[in-house]
Amino acid sequence: MLDVQLGELLSGAPAGADEALELVAGFDDALVHGFARIGEEPAAALGALAGALAASPLGDRIGESVEKVVAGSIGDEHLAALAGARAALTGAVHDALLGRLDAALGRTRASWEADPKTGEHSDNLLAGCRVWLRELAIVGWRGVDHDVVSSSDQAIEALLAVPALRGLAVLLDGLAAELRASCPVSTMERVPARRWADLWTRALLLSQSGPWNGGSEEVSGRLLILGADVHEHATVVRVQVHGILEPAGGAPARLVRTSVAAAKVDTIVGPAVWRLMGGHPVLLAALAEHRSLEITDMPLLAGGDLVWHDDRARAGEEADPFTTARVQLGAAVAAPVPPLDRHPVRIAEPVVIEGYTVEGETLELGGGNTIALDLDRLPSSTPLSPELVAASSACIGLLRWDGGRWLLQPLAVQATVKKKPVAVHTGDWAMGPTDPKVVKAEAKSGDAVAVLRERAGRLLRK
């Protein structure tokens, strides 16, 4: 459980973090205009990047790569070195932030062990991916047009045909879709340089030898749910469940996550998105009814992610997430972070905070310590609202780092409403809304999911 000292321990960024991110920003600015003709300022930014890592094991290779790129000789190996340098800096910032957070929470974290089988994939498929990423680096984001985006189609299609490479394919497809929607990028007032450079870097490193992982194991035991992080987008919805696994056999409890997702259209919004998850009734019922889950031989990846199989889980006893958080969260062992996930924006650590007051969008912890609330992440598909957060006195949430500060994303709150204590969780509507007003509104507007499925079925029958 967090105490009032947390705000003090997490105040500001670790030493050197701002300087490292400035070097990353300089690289990202150079990528905006491309490496075809590097001006004085981008060349200086690349030189600063090489200088910062000169004493590292990557130093000589990065220095040589910067010289080649500035001279106009741009090879795959040079871009890979630059991407590695950028990832090393964001990874260092991530490690400093997470280490500071673990110290504040008193949280133990397992160490990462790479799988020796990592990277056994056909280079022909990955080479096609690297060709497109090299073209993006040469022309820069400002030089991207429809022709440049379309040149990725063949590579993406080939990657999608290989199950082990579909993650890379989806990453490339997402980047291509954003670029296509922004074309011509030269007319954009502001380019999302950090985001696109993040995607480019991750894709380029993955395209060297395929996905990196630390293997997996099959686990059994009791899964106690802490909360659900719901991601809603126009074409997909994903529910990421955070919990504590009590392994069979008495091993120490572990912090784990599991995710389920479904494709959607932009007309399916609000509580209706849960109907798209109908293939996972055991997990959804556990969320809605606040029950534990007994899992058997469920694959667990080295990064702490359970590969969910609904048929390998059954409902257990009722388990209040707040009781779970108060009793077990402090002692649970956190999973290690996979190499390419070492990025500040990917930090999302479950915590429970109590005894605070809410002032606007800030939690006042006492002693002048505060943590900002990330209310923009509250999904429309749940009963958890900013008003309930404002009235709360206890919160289970995810600590994130964004914009140079720590933020708390609420997953559940305990509050007093009309002089009565209530507990509201993001997963409460997993089996359908329970608020009579929402049920009535849905009945009046009709079931969009059912209508679309019926129309799709009619088309398939023709």
Side-chain angles (χ1 to χ4, degrees):
M1 183 175 69
L2 293 179
D3 56 31
V4 295
Q5 295 180 347
L6 181 60
E8 186 175 319
L9 289 168
L10 299 182
S11 60
D18 291 338
E19 292 80 359
L21 292 177
E22 285 179 7
L23 292 170
V24 171
F27 175 88
D28 296 349
D29 288 341
L31 199 56
V32 169
H33 299 287
F35 296 155
R37 295 180 180 177
I38 294 184
E40 184 177 339
E41 189 172 335
L46 294 181
L49 179 71
L53 294 169
S56 74
L58 296 173
D60 293 341
R61 188 171 180 182
I62 293 170
E64 178 186 354
S65 297
V66 167
E67 291 179 2
K68 294 289 187 180
V69 169
V70 171
S73 176
I74 305 172
D76 285 352
E77 67 278 13
H78 306 135
L79 294 179
L82 293 180
R86 186 185 185 279
L89 288 174
T90 54
V93 175
H94 166 277
D95 292 352
L97 289 168
L98 193 59
R100 191 170 182 174
L101 178 58
D102 284 343
L105 299 175
R107 182 165 292 172
T108 302
R109 188 170 301 276
S111 57
W112 174 262
E113 295 182 8
D115 186 341
K117 295 182 180 179
T118 294
E120 295 181 357
H121 300 283
S122 171
D123 190 59
N124 291 334
L125 298 176
L126 298 175
C129 167
R130 294 195 296 269
V131 167
W132 184 60
L133 293 170
R134 183 173 68 246
E135 183 178 8
L136 291 178
I138 291 172
V139 303
W141 305 125
R142 287 295 186 190
V144 171
D145 56 22
H146 287 288
D147 289 338
V148 171
V149 177
S150 297
S151 63
S152 68
D153 294 345
Q154 186 175 355
I156 293 172
E157 185 177 353
L159 292 173
L160 285 170
V162 181
L165 296 177
R166 283 177 186 162
L168 174 57
V170 171
L171 173 61
L172 288 174
D173 193 42
L175 175 57
E178 290 191 21
L179 293 174
R180 184 176 286 110
S182 304
C183 282
V185 180
S186 59
T187 63
M188 292 181 67
E189 182 177 347
R190 180 175 175 271
V191 173
R194 175 65 58 84
R195 172 175 172 78
W196 286 353
D198 281 342
L199 297 175
W200 179 87
T201 298
R202 185 179 180 89
L204 191 63
L205 293 177
L206 282 171
S207 70
Q208 300 306 304
S209 56
W212 301 357
N213 59 69
S216 65
E217 60 179 311
E218 290 189 346
V219 295
S220 301
R222 184 169 72 149
L223 178 62
L224 299 166
I225 293 174
L226 294 169
D229 183 13
V230 184
H231 303 255
E232 297 178 37
H233 300 281
T235 58
V236 68
V237 58
R238 184 180 77 152
V239 178
Q240 185 177 61
V241 178
H242 292 259
I244 295 175
L245 174 66
E246 295 178 330
R254 304 162 70 170
L255 274 173
V256 296
R257 301 176 297 264
T258 191
S259 298
V260 292
K264 63 183 284 291
V265 294
D266 55 8
T267 56
I268 300 176
V269 295
V273 301
W274 290 103
R275 296 193 187 96
L276 300 172
M277 305 288 181
H280 313 285
V282 177
L283 181 61
L284 296 188
L287 285 171
E289 299 170 5
H290 304 155
R291 292 186 177 276
S292 64
L293 289 163
E294 299 294 333
I295 64 173
T296 304
D297 297 334
M298 192 85 75
L300 176 64
L301 304 181
D305 291 283
L306 285 168
V307 182
W308 189 256
H309 293 267
D310 217 60
D311 59 347
R312 302 187 190 184
R314 60 181 178 84
E317 299 176 348
E318 291 187 7
D320 175 34
F322 277 95
T323 300
T324 297
R326 290 171 180 135
V327 174
Q328 300 236 42
L329 190 52
V333 178
V337 182
L340 288 188
D341 290 350
R342 292 170 54 246
H343 191 296
V345 77
R346 296 183 67 94
I347 295 176
E349 290 294 309
V351 294
V352 58
I353 304 180
E354 301 181 273
Y356 56 80
T357 58
V358 181
E359 296 292 337
E361 295 188 1
T362 303
L363 291 189
E364 302 284 346
L365 302 176
N369 298 312
T370 63
I371 295 180
L373 288 165
D374 190 356
L375 300 180
D376 291 339
R377 290 181 182 267
L378 292 179
S380 62
S381 57
T382 78
L384 189 57
S385 65
E387 292 75 20
L388 283 168
V389 175
S392 69
S393 58
C395 175
I396 297 173
L398 299 175
L399 272 176
R400 297 181 177 276
W401 176 267
D402 191 19
R405 60 175 181 164
W406 289 100
L407 300 170
L408 179 70
Q409 174 194 347
L411 300 182
V413 298
Q414 289 180 330
T416 300
V417 178
K418 296 181 179 179
K419 299 182 180 180
K420 294 183 179 181
V422 298
V424 181
H425 305 254
T426 51
D428 284 349
W429 289 353
M431 299 298 288
T434 56
D435 187 328
K437 294 181 180 178
V438 177
V439 173
K440 185 177 180 180
E442 279 205 319
K444 185 177 181 180
S445 61
D447 188 340
V449 176
V451 171
L452 289 170
R453 281 176 175 165
E454 192 277 332
R455 290 179 180 175
R458 193 186 309 165
L459 289 171
L460 289 172
R461 288 191 296 270
K462 288 184 177 180

